[in-house]
Amino acid sequence: MLRHEFQPGRLVAGLFFTGAGVLYAGDAYGAWRTPWFVVFPLVLAGLCLAGASGVMARALRRRRDRRTAAEGTRTAEGTG
């Protein structure tokens, strides 16, 4: 049983922010050099993809809710 609804936008944003953090951590550790401007496109792409996936998830959720509401009224009318 889920305690909350799945929000894929937050998952996508978290993955991209984690990736940016790994890039900076690798640079701080000395494993590689990361220019300061590399993170901006990474974070911007992550936010755009997170927004798109959030909009799609909301649209699918609304569609599912409308369908279940319509089925509920049909069954209620048929039994009465």
Side-chain angles (χ1 to χ4, degrees):
M1 178 177 183
L2 293 175
R3 294 181 181 242
H4 57 83
E5 63 186 22
F6 177 62
Q7 296 179 346
R10 290 185 179 195
L11 175 67
V12 171
L15 289 174
F16 274 85
F17 283 127
T18 301
V22 166
L23 280 176
Y24 274 137
D27 186 28
Y29 183 68
W32 55 76
R33 286 203 32 86
T34 305
W36 62 271
F37 56 85
V38 169
V39 175
F40 290 119
L42 181 68
V43 169
L44 184 63
L47 288 175
C48 288
L49 287 174
S53 64
V55 166
M56 288 300 297
R58 178 66 183 145
L60 291 173
R61 201 172 301 125
R62 288 177 74 190
R63 181 176 159 196
R64 183 192 64 207
D65 291 344
R66 266 190 273 152
R67 187 180 319 142
T68 56
E71 289 174 359
T73 57
R74 266 189 265 147
T75 57
E77 290 172 1
T79 59

